[in-house]
Amino acid sequence: MARGKGKSQRKVQKAKLLQATFVSYLVGTSSAFGPLNFGSKSTNNFSKSKPLVSNWFGSQIQAPYTPNGYSSVAKSLNMVVQERTGMFTNTNPENRRVLPISRGEKAYFKVTYVVLESQYQSSITKACQAINSQREDMCVECVGYLLEELRDDKNLAAFKKDCEDSNIFIGSLIFVQELAEKVANVVEPLRDQMDAVVIFPSMPEVMRLNKVGSFSMQSLGQSKSVISDFMKKKKKEDGSSFEEGMLKLLRTLPKVLKYLPSDKAADARNFMMSFQYWLGGSPENLQSLLLNLANEYVEDVKLKGKVKSQDIAEPILLPDKGIWHPVADKVFENADEYMRWYNDVHAPSAGIKQDATVIGLILQ
C-alpha cells in the first residue's frame, strides 16, 4: 500500500471512529443487527419503494421513489455495495439530486450538502420530496455529496458549481483535514452570497463558515449570552479552544435551548434548533429544518411562501438509549420493538432468510 494512500485511509478510519462516538452520544447504547441494507420500504407518506437486486451478499436494496422514477437515487443507494472496488469513489452525486416536480410561480430554494457517509441521504431526499409534493407555495432543489467523493476532481468541480447558486449549504462530520480544506476553499468565497450556511460538528476551518442570519461562530463567542458564558467557562475550566467549546456546547444542546430568548437571540436559536433537527435525522425533522431555514432566510420564500408555525414541527428527539439500524425510520427503545420490526418488516423486504447470520454492533 502506498504511503500516501495508507495515511489517507487512516484519516478516514479516525473520522469514522469520531462519527461512531458521536452516534453513541446521541442514542446512548446503539445496536445494529443483520446485514446493512441502505434504504427500506417506507411506512410513511414520504416515499414509495421498489426493490433493486444488488450483489451485496445477495440482499436487496429498497430505493425511495422520486418524481423522476426510482432510478434517480437507486445508484446512490448502491454506494456501499461498491466499497470493495473503491469505497465511495465510484458513486455519482448527480444520481441523488432532487428536482422540483413543477416550479411555476412557486418560491424556490436550493440546498447543497456534504456529509461523511450516506446515513442522512435518504432522509434528506424524502424531506425534499415531501416539500415538493405537498406544498403549493414553494419547491426545493437538493443535491448531496459524500465527503470522500470530493477527492475526485470532477465531483469537486460539480460541488463548486452547485454551491455557486445554492441558497443553503449544510455540512456535517467533516473531519478529514485535506477534505475539510477543500470544502472550506469552495464554500468560504461563496458564504456571503448564500442565505444560510449551517455546519454541524466538523473541523474548525469548516465550523467557522457557519452563518445563520446574524449568527456566526465569531459573533457567538463575543455575544453576551448563555452561549458565550458557557464557552468562557469551558475555556477557564480546561483550556478548551473556541471550536472545542462549541462542540461541547452542541452536545449539551437540549439543556441550553430553553434558556435562549427567541426575541433576543433568534438567529442563534435557529442554529441550535437546526442542530437538534439534524440530530433527530428523520425525514420529518429534516423537512422542518429546511422549512425553518428557508422561511427565515431565503428571500424568495419569505416573499412568496406561506409557511405557518404549525408547518414547522418541534424536533422529534431520539431516546437516551435505544437500538439503531441504518434502514429504520426510528430508534427502537427496546429489543422487542426492534425484533418485531426486523422480522416483520426489514427481513422480508431485504430478502434476509430467518436463519441468516446475525451481527451485533454496540457503540459506546
Side-chain angles (χ1 to χ4, degrees):
M1 178 182 294
R3 182 177 180 182
K5 184 176 181 181
K7 184 177 180 181
S8 173
Q9 290 183 347
R10 286 194 295 273
K11 286 184 178 180
V12 172
Q13 291 172 350
K14 289 180 180 178
K16 289 185 177 181
L17 180 59
L18 282 171
Q19 184 189 44
T21 304
F22 188 65
V23 171
S24 70
Y25 159 75
L26 302 183
V27 298
T29 299
S30 304
S31 303
F33 300 97
L36 297 181
N37 297 275
F38 284 73
S40 68
K41 178 173 283 188
S42 174
T43 57
N44 55 36
N45 63 353
F46 281 90
S47 70
K48 300 177 182 177
S49 301
K50 182 176 181 180
L52 295 169
V53 178
S54 76
N55 59 355
W56 186 254
F57 299 130
S59 64
Q60 291 180 323
I61 295 175
Q62 298 292 330
Y65 173 83
T66 69
N68 298 323
Y70 297 100
S71 62
S72 62
V73 292
K75 294 180 181 178
S76 67
L77 290 176
N78 276 293
M79 62 189 74
V80 175
V81 176
Q82 297 174 346
E83 184 169 2
R84 291 172 293 173
T85 58
M87 202 173 177
F88 299 121
T89 57
N90 293 332
T91 63
N92 182 2
E94 193 63 29
N95 290 331
R96 66 183 75 101
R97 185 182 300 273
V98 176
L99 295 171
I101 300 172
S102 176
R103 182 167 175 177
E105 298 299 321
K106 295 180 180 180
Y108 163 87
F109 67 102
K110 180 177 177 179
V111 179
T112 297
Y113 66 89
V114 173
V115 292
L116 178 66
E117 288 188 339
S118 61
Q119 286 88 337
Y120 278 93
Q121 184 269 327
S122 179
S123 289
I124 295 178
T125 295
K126 291 178 182 179
C128 292
Q129 289 171 352
I131 292 174
N132 287 338
S133 63
Q134 297 172 7
R135 299 199 65 90
E136 298 180 356
D137 58 331
M138 71 175 69
C139 57
V140 59
E141 177 181 350
C142 181
V143 62
Y145 293 81
L146 299 175
L147 187 60
E148 283 294 319
E149 291 174 340
L150 299 184
R151 294 186 186 278
D152 183 90
D153 291 339
K154 183 181 295 186
N155 287 338
L156 185 61
F159 168 60
K160 181 178 179 181
K161 184 177 180 180
D162 276 316
C163 285
E164 287 173 352
D165 60 354
S166 288
N167 300 95
I168 298 171
F169 174 78
I170 299 174
S172 178
L173 296 179
I174 303 173
F175 282 117
V176 182
Q177 182 65 46
E178 60 190 295
L179 298 177
E181 293 173 358
K182 290 187 176 185
V183 172
N185 290 338
V186 170
V187 177
E188 188 170 14
L190 304 170
R191 178 178 179 271
D192 290 343
Q193 74 182 47
M194 291 182 177
D195 295 308
V197 177
V198 186
I199 310 293
F200 304 119
S202 296
M203 297 292 288
E205 56 265 49
V206 187
M207 290 289 287
R208 293 191 192 101
L209 299 175
N210 268 300
K211 184 192 78 168
V212 181
S214 61
F215 169 86
S216 67
M217 301 301 287
Q218 182 178 7
S219 63
L220 177 61
Q222 294 174 350
S223 62
K224 294 182 179 180
S225 65
V226 174
I227 298 177
S228 63
D229 290 343
F230 179 94
M231 308 291 282
K232 293 174 183 176
K233 180 180 178 182
K234 294 307 297 181
K235 184 174 183 179
K236 184 176 181 180
E237 287 179 354
D238 53 22
S240 298
S241 66
F242 179 78
E243 290 76 17
E244 291 170 337
M246 183 62 195
L247 292 177
K248 292 174 183 176
L249 169 64
L250 293 177
R251 294 189 180 103
T252 63
L253 178 64
K255 298 178 181 178
V256 175
L257 265 178
K258 60 183 178 181
Y259 297 111
L260 290 178
S262 58
D263 57 332
K264 294 183 179 179
D267 293 328
R269 186 176 185 277
N270 281 332
F271 172 78
M272 294 297 180
M273 289 297 292
S274 295
F275 187 74
Q276 200 165 31
Y277 284 124
W278 188 258
L279 293 184
S282 67
E284 296 89 344
N285 272 322
L286 298 186
Q287 183 179 356
S288 292
L289 183 158
L290 296 177
L291 285 176
N292 186 54
L293 289 178
N295 188 53
E296 292 287 339
Y297 304 109
V298 178
E299 196 63 30
D300 197 31
V301 176
K302 291 167 67 176
L303 291 173
K304 301 178 183 178
K306 299 178 182 179
V307 180
K308 300 177 181 179
S309 57
Q310 57 264 34
D311 296 338
I312 302 175
E314 288 295 313
I316 302 171
L317 303 178
L318 293 173
D320 292 335
K321 294 183 179 180
I323 301 173
W324 173 81
H325 192 287
V327 169
D329 289 334
K330 59 180 288 187
V331 174
F332 302 95
E333 297 191 27
N334 56 65
D336 289 340
E337 184 183 16
Y338 170 79
M339 293 308 299
R340 281 196 299 271
W341 169 84
Y342 184 85
N343 291 325
D344 298 342
V345 178
H346 177 59
S349 67
I352 300 173
K353 298 180 180 179
Q354 290 185 348
D355 58 352
T357 301
V358 176
I359 299 174
L361 174 64
I362 299 177
L363 306 176
Q364 61 182 10

